[in-house]
Amino acid sequence: MQTLSTILVALVALEHLYILYIEMFAWETKGKETFKGSLAPELFKPTKTLAANQGLYNGFLAAGLIWSLLIEDHHWRLYVGVFFLTCVIVAGIYGAVTASKKIFFVQALPAIVALVALHL
């Protein structure tokens, strides 16, 4: 089960690195495709700095999840993983409530599955 939970945490981390990339470096190109319908096309240029800030926070989430995978002590690995997965879940729920319900399924649900796997 540890292998499965490691893979799931790594996938959530990779997802957040991808979000970082979109929001920090490809907001006006890939961002338009990814967030089509939730933001008017003409708003991508003026919101580029805001998106980059969000991307930075997604990078911190990814860094924390990756850090959790590098910790050798089982208990601390679990504690750090639980903390950062919970942060992802809260962010995903908030995004689902305030922006798009799709965010719950793309962001929060994978983190919930990884969190459950950590506890098995």
Side-chain angles (χ1 to χ4, degrees), residues 45-84:
K45 185 173 183 76
T47 59
K48 185 176 181 177
T49 302
L50 294 172
N53 189 29
Q54 287 179 188
L56 184 63
Y57 285 100
N58 279 291
F60 291 144
L61 292 173
L65 292 169
I66 293 165
W67 174 40
S68 77
L69 297 175
L70 301 174
I71 297 171
E72 291 184 23
D73 180 87
H74 172 74
H75 291 99
W76 278 106
R77 179 184 179 119
L78 175 67
Y79 301 149
V80 173
V82 166
F83 173 78
F84 281 99

Side-chain angles (χ1 to χ4, degrees), residues 9 12-17 19-20 54-68 80-81 83-92 107:
V9 169
V12 173
L14 286 173
E15 176 184 27
H16 283 273
L17 287 173
I19 295 169
L20 172 146
Q54 287 179 188
L56 184 63
Y57 285 100
N58 279 291
F60 291 144
L61 292 173
L65 292 169
I66 293 165
W67 174 40
S68 77
V80 173
F83 173 78
F84 281 99
L85 286 171
T86 303
C87 289
V88 170
I89 293 165
V90 170
Q107 186 174 350

Side-chain angles (χ1 to χ4, degrees), residues 4 11 21 23 32 40 76 84 96 98 108-109 111-112:
L4 177 62
L11 287 174
Y21 165 74
E23 292 177 342
K32 280 184 181 178
W76 278 106
F84 281 99
T98 60
L109 189 57
I112 292 168

Side-chain angles (χ1 to χ4, degrees), residues 87-97 100 103-104 107-108:
C87 289
V88 170
I89 293 165
V90 170
I93 291 170
Y94 184 80
V97 170
S100 169
I103 294 172
F104 175 82
Q107 186 174 350

